[in-house]
Amino acid sequence: MKIVVCVKQIQNPEIPPVQFRIDEEAKVLIPVSGLSPILSPYDEQAVEAALRIRDKAGKDSDIEITIVTIASKGARAVIKAALALGADNAVLLSEPTFDGSGGYVTARNLAETIRAIGDVDLILTGRQAADWDAGVVGLGIAEILDIPAITFACDVQTTDGVVTVQRVLQDGIETVEADLPALVTISNELGKVRYASMRETMRAAKKPIKEWMPEDIGLDEAQVGSSAMRYKLERLYIPVNDTECEFIVGNTPAEIAATLAQHLREAKLI
Amino acid sequence: MTDNNNGVLVVVEMVESQPIDLGLEMLALARRLTDSMGGTVTAVAFGTGLETTGEILTAYGADQVLINDNAIFANFHAEAWLPDLSKIVAEVAPAIVLIGHSLSGTDLAPRLAFRLDVDVATGCESIDIINGRPHMTRSCFGGLAREVVTFTKTPAVATIRSKTQQALTPMMERAGEVKHVTSILDVNSIRSRVVNREREKAVGVKLESAKIVIGGGLGLGGPEGFNTLNEIAELVDGAVGASRAACDLDWCPRSYQIGLTGRTVAPELYLAVGISGASHHMAGCGNSKTIVSINSDPDAAIFKSSRFGIVGNSQEIMPALVEEIRKLKA
Ligand SMILES: Cc1cc2nc3c(=O)[nH]c(=O)nc-3n(C[C@H](O)[C@H](O)[C@H](O)COP(=O)(O)OP(=O)(O)OC[C@H]3O[C@@H](n4cnc5c(N)ncnc54)[C@H](O)[C@@H]3O)c2cc1C
Ligand SMILES: Nc1ncnc2c1ncn2[C@@H]1O[C@H](COP(=O)(O)O)[C@@H](O)[C@H]1O
C-alpha cells in the first residue's frame, strides 16, 4: 500500500508575537532571522498518522510512505525531518514561482505530483497549514483526483482496501469509512507525535529524495505560480490592538474579587 | 467566460430544523453586500422538518429561500450536499457564495469551490465591495496578521467566522419567495459512509450564544479548576470554554476549545482564567466586547487584549470570585 503525506515547510507558528514581522509593501512575511523552517504541525501529525498505520500493519507490511512537498526553494530540511520520523522516501516539486500562489494552484500541482507518483492508495494532509491557515489544499486534491475525502481525523486505520476514520465534530466524534484510494486531513486531536530516533535520523540521510521540476510532470507555465492563480493578495497587515488594561489590586484574594465583581456589576456585565 | 453577478447566495446550516446563528449573521452580511453591489440575497437550507425555515430566513433578510427538505440531509454530509448545491449555485449564478466557518462549512466550502473551479477564502471576518468587487478580509498566521484577497473568477466562495457579523432584527412582514428544490442526489455517488456518530451531551448554554463566556487554560492547574468556572457560569447564566492546551490534556471536553481551530465566541464578557493569550486562542475570542483576565504572570500576552486584569493565582482568586458574585446575585 502506498501512502503519500503532503507536508509544507513554514515558519514556527508559535514564535513570540513581537518577533512576527511582515513587509506590508511587498505583502510578504519577513522570516525571523536565524530561525529554521519547520514542518507545519498538522502535517507532522499526518506523518505520525501514516507511521501508526504502518506500525499496526507490522514490520513485514508492504506499506510505503512517501513525503511530498512543493516549495520555491530549500525544503530539504523539513523533508529530512519527515524522513527521520520514519517515512520511506520523498518527492520535492521545486517550483521557483510557487511562493504565494495559493491553495488553488497548490492543490492542482500536488494532484499532478501524486498522479505522477502513481498508484497511491491513501493521501494524508494536515487540516490546514499553520502559516496561512487556509484548510483548502487537502479537499482540493481530492476533488481534482475525484476520490473521497474525510476531514479532521483524530484516528486513521486501514483494512482490506478500506480506510476508517474517527473524525472530530463540533459536539462529538463520528466514524466514517471509504474505499481506497481516499484522502484524509489530520487534526490536532490525533495527539502526540513521536520523536525522530537517532537510528532513523541516520538512516534518513540515505533515503531517496526525488526532485522534480514542473515540466518533469507535464505542468506547463500556465499551470504554475502566478499565471495559474485565481486570487490576488491585495493587502497584508498586522492588526493593531489598543486595549488599555486596568489592573485590579488588593490585599487579599477576596478584596480583589470583590472589586472585580463590582466593576462587572457597574458595567452591567453581571 | 461570463461572470456571475446575481447577488449573494448564503448556505444556512440547520441544526435540529433551526438555522444556526451564524446563518442569520451571514444573511445580514449578504444584505449589506447586495445593497452596495446589487442583486438579490438567496438563502439555501438543507435538512428535514424545514416547514418554517422559509419564513424565518426571509424575516432575517433573504429575498429568495431555496429549501431542500429531505431525510437524507438530516445530518451534514458534504458528499450528499455537493451535487444539489453545485446545481443551485450554477442556476442562481451569484457573485458571492457565503458558507459558515463551522466544522461543516469548512468541510464543504473548499469542495464546492473546486467543483466550481474557483478559489475560496476561509475564515473571513469581513467582506467589502470595492470598485464593484468583493474584498475578503481573513485572519492568517495564527491570528497575528490579516490578509485582504480578491478573486479573478466568480463566484467568490467564502467561509465566514461566527460572531463577526450582526444578524438583522427579524421582520416577519418582509416579502420573499420560498421555493422547494427537488434533489438530484444519486445516493450511489456518495463514497464515504458514516458508520457511527457519538455526540457529547450539550453542557449549559451554547458557547456561541452565551453573553458571558469563561475560558480556562493551563493556569487552572488541573481539571478540578473547571469546577469553579462551571459554578460561575451557572450563577451568571454563562458558558465555559477552554484553550486548546486544556482540551489536549482532557481537562475538559474537546467541544470547549476556543480559537483558530475551535469555536469563535464574541460575548459581552470573556473571562480568561489561566490562559496565556496566544494569538491562536485570541483568534476565537478577540472580538469579545470586554475581556477580563486572571493570570499569575504580569507579562502574559492576554493582558494586552484585556479591559481588566488581575495578576494572581487563579486557585485563590476564583473561589473568592464565586463568593462575591453569589453575594451580588443574592
Ligand atoms: C496551528 C495552531 C493552532 C492552534 N489552535 C489553537 C486554538 O484553536 N485554541 C487555542 O486555545 N490554542 C490553539 N493553539 C495553541 C496556542 O498556540 C497555545 O499554545 C495555547 O492556547 C496555550 O494554552 P494556555 O494559554 O492554556 O496554556 P499556556 O500557554 O501554557 O498558558 C498558561 C497560562 O497560565 C498562567 N498561569 C500559570 N499558573 C497560574 C495560576 N496558578 N494562576 C493563574 N494563571 C496561571 C501562566 O502564566 C500562563 O500565561 C494552536 C497552536 C497552533 C500551532
Ligand atoms: N506547498 C505544499 N506542499 C505540500 N503540501 C502542502 C503544501 N501546501 C499545503 N499542503 C498540504 O495541504 C494542507 C492544507 O494546506 P492549506 O490549504 O494551505 O491550509 C497542509 O496541511 C499540507 O498537508
Side-chain angles (χ1 to χ4, degrees), chain A residues 104 108 131-134 143 146 149 151 171 173-175 177 230 232 234-235 237 246 248 269, chain B residues 107 111 115 117 122 138 141-142 146 148 150 152 191 193 195-200 212 307 309:
Chain A
Y104 178 88
R108 293 204 166 264
D131 49 4
W132 295 94
D133 302 322
E143 281 296 321
D146 195 20
T151 50
D171 57 350
I173 295 272
E174 76 184 2
T175 311
E177 48 176 54
R230 288 285 155 92
K232 181 161 178 262
E234 304 281 352
R235 213 185 139 201
Y237 64 98
E246 188 178 321
I248 297 172
L269 290 168
Chain B
D107 184 56
R111 301 180 197 247
R115 265 189 209 193
D117 199 35
T122 54
R138 62 181 298 277
F141 293 98
R146 298 288 179 280
V148 181
T150 55
T152 55
R191 296 162 298 186
R193 311 169 282 275
V195 293
N196 187 32
R197 191 175 278 127
E198 281 168 33
R199 295 200 186 274
E200 287 166 5
I212 299 182
R307 172 71 186 83

Side-chain angles (χ1 to χ4, degrees), chain A residues 13-17 20 22 29 41-42 101-105 107-108 127-128 130-137 139-144 146-152 162-164 167-179 187-189 192 229-239 241-249 252-265 267 269-270, chain B residues 76-77 79 82 101-104 106-120 122 133 135 137-153 191-201 206 208 212 236 244 248-249 254-255 257 260-263 268-269 271 279-280 290 292-294 298 301 303-311 316-317 320-322 324-325 328-329:
Chain A
E14 290 178 295
I15 53 162
F20 180 81
I22 53 174
L29 176 80
Y42 302 111
S101 50
Y104 178 88
V105 176
R108 293 204 166 264
R127 64 175 288 170
Q128 63 196 52
D131 49 4
W132 295 94
D133 302 322
V136 169
V137 168
L139 288 168
I141 295 170
E143 281 296 321
I144 297 159
D146 195 20
I147 58 173
I150 304 173
T151 50
F152 315 134
V162 174
V163 62
T164 306
R167 70 184 287 271
V168 179
L169 301 175
Q170 177 101 306
D171 57 350
I173 295 272
E174 76 184 2
T175 311
V176 185
E177 48 176 54
D179 296 341
S187 192
N188 62 289
E189 287 85 354
K192 281 216 159 54
M229 276 164 65
R230 288 285 155 92
Y231 91 105
K232 181 161 178 262
L233 181 56
E234 304 281 352
R235 213 185 139 201
L236 182 65
Y237 64 98
I238 297 179
N241 184 355
D242 49 13
T243 311
E244 190 71 51
C245 183
E246 188 178 321
F247 283 97
I248 297 172
V249 290
T252 61
E255 197 183 311
I256 296 171
T259 312
L260 174 59
Q262 208 54 52
H263 277 308
L264 298 180
R265 173 48 61 97
L269 290 168
I270 58 170
Chain B
F76 173 77
H77 190 320
E79 278 195 273
L82 278 168
H101 192 73
S102 61
L103 277 183
S104 317
T106 46
D107 184 56
L108 178 66
R111 301 180 197 247
L112 177 71
F114 277 88
R115 265 189 209 193
L116 302 170
D117 199 35
V118 296
D119 214 332
V120 48
T122 54
R133 294 177 55 224
H135 285 55
T137 302
R138 62 181 298 277
S139 156
C140 50
F141 293 98
L144 290 176
R146 298 288 179 280
E147 62 168 332
V148 181
V149 301
T150 55
F151 293 148
T152 55
K153 196 180 162 201
R191 296 162 298 186
S192 62
R193 311 169 282 275
V194 178
V195 293
N196 187 32
R197 191 175 278 127
E198 281 168 33
R199 295 200 186 274
E200 287 166 5
K201 273 203 206 69
K206 275 205 65 201
E208 284 83 358
I212 299 182
V236 301
R244 190 177 93 181
D248 281 347
L249 290 173
R254 287 266 169 224
S255 56
Q257 185 183 321
L260 185 65
T261 52
R263 320 206 16 189
E268 298 291 318
L269 170 66
L271 180 61
S279 64
H280 301 103
T290 302
V292 175
S293 47
I294 301 173
F303 291 129
K304 295 206 172 65
S305 321
S306 305
R307 172 71 186 83
F308 295 113
I310 293 176
V311 179
E316 291 168 4
I317 307 282
L321 190 58
V322 174
E324 292 303 327
I325 294 177
L328 282 181
K329 290 267 162 185

